[in-house]
Amino acid sequence: MAVAPDAEEFCRVPRPPAGLAETAYLRNGYRAILRILVAERQLETETCDCPLSDFTWDMALAELPRFQTTDNPRLPFKVLDLYAMADALEAEHAEGCS
């Protein structure tokens, strides 16, 4: 499952496919995880390029244990916390690229 960036915004992680997870809550969490992974790569490599095409939804699923906060399969993480983490990393990256 390759990920293609939305055309409107540079390096914006698109909405995940419906088949990725049973609920929107889980899909939104996986989207936030992918945002985190992309921003971490950008900060690690100190580049202003968008590495989104190097990532897949399967990679976000594989990173679940790193972000998992409970054993409940329907609520394995706190999506708002993931959003906050992704926003902070993206802001840090944007600051370095401006």
Side-chain angles (χ1 to χ4, degrees):
M1 284 187 275
V3 178
D6 288 343
E8 311 93 53
E9 284 190 51
F10 175 74
C11 215
R12 181 170 182 258
V13 174
R15 294 177 73 179
L20 184 66
E22 181 180 325
T23 66
Y25 183 87
L26 292 173
R27 290 190 299 273
N28 289 334
Y30 292 130
R31 182 181 187 195
I33 289 171
L34 197 61
R35 286 177 55 206
I36 291 167
L37 297 177
V38 170
E40 286 176 341
R41 168 84 59 86
Q42 289 172 316
L43 291 168
E44 178 183 297
T45 60
E46 298 179 352
T47 181
C48 293
D49 295 335
C50 180
L52 185 56
S53 62
D54 297 341
F55 291 86
T56 65
W57 290 111
D58 291 334
M59 293 167 80
L61 295 172
E63 287 293 320
L64 173 60
R66 180 174 151 202
F67 299 100
Q68 190 168 353
T69 56
T70 72
D71 290 333
N72 182 344
R74 298 188 58 74
L75 301 169
F77 38 64
K78 296 178 181 175
V79 172
L80 293 180
D81 290 351
L82 294 175
Y83 284 170
M85 184 184 295
D87 290 344
L89 289 168
E90 288 172 349
E92 183 180 344
H93 175 258
E95 183 178 305
C97 287
S98 49

